[in-house]
């Protein structure tokens, strides 16, 4: 049996940082994808190949037979430690995606039904950039395995499995990334004891295309979020103003109105947060502005990515050439609000 799964990444359009403190954020799935191909084999191993990163590895199925079944939080912790030991025994580079593949396989496939598989993963998403690359991968593998072994492969099941995978590396993720990757579309996220995700649909006439630019500036999301948190008491008014931008954007989308003039005020508010602005992203934003493209940081900042809204009269070729000349990476003419994870081929 063979299964190919495609899953989008995501961009936060408005509301980053403030959403940590209970204010809304507007998030969308984008047309940059992770593609995972899973094929059953006659071998007794799990092999994994990421051609774009020149990474390849495998482990024997028998290695997983000694890993405890995952039935609760405590057994999950033990299973994760045991899987880490398998990777050490293979003298493998313990990359997150390789670990997550073994975790999800062990979680989904019962011992009595296990067979060898060959997994190939490709992605258009820059890792650790704020595009949801790990969630996109998690969702792809989860849907592929659930489909191949004829388990509940509903989007709700995929979303929960992907969230559990994300928790291993991110502790207490908000659920934004896996929800965007699983269900697609555009939605407003509100933090609560049970997080709320409210769909917000652009109509076909006012749904813009976007450009996403990677500053290629290394940054630590955890460190930036921590720095903002250390001064959060004095920043409540800024968070509230960012939340208002999100509310305005939501209202405009529902009315079919343009949202492009909201990027600049959101960026101005982000500049008031410690550690969020950076010379690299400032340069990207000012360059986009010269070409008539409104742009802002998406994600934690301190480097990372910037997105801009495109219109038909923009000199896209000139903008792209200048950004690349400055050694920034560019993804151009991306659709937003795209469909979430899906099986594209099954035989």
């Amino acid at each position: 049996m063979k299964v190919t799964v495609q899953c989008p990444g995501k961009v936060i359009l408005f509301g980053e940082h403030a959403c940590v403190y209970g204010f809304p954020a507007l998030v969308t799935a984008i047309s940059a994808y992770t593609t995972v191909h899973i094929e059953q084999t006659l071998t007794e191993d799990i092999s994994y190949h990421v051609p774009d990163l020149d990474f390849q590895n495998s482990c024997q199925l028998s290695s997983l037979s000694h890993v405890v079944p995952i039935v609760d939080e405590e057994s999950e912790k033990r299973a994760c430690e045991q899987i880490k030991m398998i990777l050490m025994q293979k003298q493998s580079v313990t990359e997150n995606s390789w670990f997550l593949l073994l975790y999800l396989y062990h979680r989904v496939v019962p011992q009595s039904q296990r067979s060898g598989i060959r997994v190939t993963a490709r992605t258009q998403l820059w890792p650790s950039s704020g595009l949801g690359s790990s969630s996109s991968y998690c969702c792809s593998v989860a849907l592929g395995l659930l489909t191949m072994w004829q388990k509940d492969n509903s989007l709700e099941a995929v979303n929960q499995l992907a969230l559990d995978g994300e928790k291993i590396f991110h502790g207490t993720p908000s659920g934004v990334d896996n929800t965007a990757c699983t269900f697609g579309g555009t939605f407003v996220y509100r933090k609560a004891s049970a997080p709320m995700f409210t769909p917000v649909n652009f109509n076909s006439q006012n749904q813009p295309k976007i450009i996403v630019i990677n500053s290629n500036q290394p940054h630590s999301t955890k460190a930036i979020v921590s720095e903002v948190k250390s001064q959060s008491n004095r920043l409540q008014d800024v968070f509230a103003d960012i939340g208002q931008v999100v509310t305005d954007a939501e209202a405009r989308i529902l009315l079919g109105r343009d949202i492009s003039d909201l990027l600049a005020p959101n960026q101005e508010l982000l500049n008031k947060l410690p550690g969020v602005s950076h010379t690299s992203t400032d340069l990207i934003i000012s360059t986009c502005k010269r070409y008539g493209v409104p742009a802002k940081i998406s994600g934690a900042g301190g480097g990372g990515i910037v997105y801009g809204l495109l219109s038909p009269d923009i000199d896209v070729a000139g903008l792209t050439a200048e950004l690349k000349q400055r050694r920034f990476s560019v993804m151009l003419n991306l659709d937003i609000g795209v469909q979430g994870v899906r099986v594209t081929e099954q035989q």
Side-chain angles (χ1 to χ4, degrees):
M1 186 177 184
K2 302 177 183 178
V3 173
T4 302
V5 178
Q6 184 183 71
C7 185
K10 73 92 176 61
V11 160
I12 298 177
L13 297 176
F14 302 99
E16 46 275 276
H17 286 289
C19 62
V20 176
Y21 302 94
F23 297 97
L26 187 65
V27 185
T28 192
I30 60 173
S31 61
Y33 297 95
T34 297
T35 302
V36 172
H37 179 76
I38 305 176
E39 179 178 358
Q40 285 183 308
T41 67
L42 298 177
T43 63
E44 291 296 318
D45 64 2
I46 299 172
S47 68
Y48 181 52
H49 187 205
V50 188
D52 301 328
L53 300 178
D54 194 27
F55 178 79
Q56 189 166 342
N57 217 317
S58 65
C59 79
Q60 293 293 312
L61 286 174
S62 57
S63 300
L64 288 176
S65 64
H66 304 295
V67 178
V68 298
I70 297 174
V71 295
D72 55 25
E73 186 174 335
E74 185 58 36
S75 62
E76 182 175 67
K77 290 179 181 178
R78 289 182 58 201
C80 288
E81 289 301 318
Q82 290 172 329
I83 292 172
K84 289 177 183 177
M85 289 300 297
I86 293 172
L87 298 181
M88 290 174 63
Q89 288 166 2
K90 291 292 294 181
Q91 296 182 339
S92 165
V93 177
T94 54
E95 294 188 5
N96 290 358
S97 60
W98 175 222
F99 176 90
L100 282 169
L101 171 60
L102 297 183
Y103 165 81
L104 291 169
Y105 183 91
H106 181 67
R107 174 85 177 265
V108 170
V109 185
Q111 184 75 36
S112 60
Q113 299 178 21
R114 291 181 176 177
S115 65
I117 57 171
R118 181 184 302 114
V119 179
T120 304
R122 291 184 176 275
T123 188
Q124 300 169 326
L125 303 169
W126 303 308
S128 303
S129 65
L131 292 175
S133 60
S134 63
S135 277
S136 183
Y137 172 80
C138 261
C139 291
S140 299
V141 174
L143 179 56
L145 293 174
L146 290 169
T147 300
M148 183 167 280
W149 268 270
Q150 299 181 343
K151 304 295 182 182
D152 175 11
N153 67 348
S154 65
L155 292 181
E156 289 75 15
V158 171
N159 195 41
Q160 184 59 56
L161 196 55
L163 178 61
D164 291 344
E166 286 282 274
K167 286 178 180 177
I168 294 172
F169 291 107
H170 301 299
T172 54
S174 66
V176 166
D177 286 14
N178 54 279
T179 298
C181 294
T182 301
F183 296 101
T186 303
F187 60 87
V188 173
Y189 161 75
R190 291 178 175 85
K191 182 179 180 180
S193 54
M196 296 180 289
F197 303 92
T198 307
V200 181
N201 297 315
F202 286 89
N203 65 45
S204 57
Q205 295 180 339
N206 79 321
Q207 181 159 307
K209 288 183 180 292
I210 67 171
I211 181 173
V212 178
I213 306 105
N214 191 349
S215 68
N216 296 316
Q217 171 64 38
H219 68 142
S220 168
T221 296
K222 184 177 181 181
I224 296 166
V225 170
S226 178
E227 187 173 0
V228 172
K229 183 178 180 180
S230 70
Q231 301 184 41
S232 60
N233 288 341
R234 72 171 185 83
L235 295 170
Q236 289 302 311
D237 288 345
V238 178
F239 297 148
D241 288 343
I242 292 174
Q244 186 59 52
V245 173
V246 177
T247 300
D248 292 347
E250 179 184 11
R252 291 191 189 191
I253 292 168
L254 294 174
L255 292 171
R257 293 173 54 199
D258 178 43
I259 61 170
S260 61
D261 64 337
L262 294 177
L263 275 73
N266 195 163
Q267 181 60 42
E268 290 172 6
L269 291 165
L270 289 173
N271 288 341
K272 296 180 180 181
L273 305 180
V276 173
S277 63
H278 189 274
T279 54
S280 61
T281 50
D282 289 346
L283 177 58
I284 292 170
I285 292 167
S286 63
T287 302
C288 287
K289 184 177 180 180
R290 282 196 289 104
Y291 283 84
V293 176
K296 64 175 284 291
I297 289 169
S298 178
I305 60 170
V306 168
Y307 88 91
L309 295 179
L310 298 175
S311 57
D313 58 340
I314 298 299
D315 177 12
V316 172
L319 172 60
T320 302
E322 182 169 342
L323 289 169
K324 289 183 175 180
Q325 186 178 25
R326 296 180 183 276
R327 301 189 182 280
F328 300 128
S329 303
V330 178
M331 285 194 283
L332 191 62
N333 286 324
L334 297 180
D335 292 315
I336 61 176
V338 301
Q339 181 179 349
V341 66
R342 63 190 179 97
V343 174
T344 58
E345 183 180 3
Q346 182 178 354
Q347 56 180 304

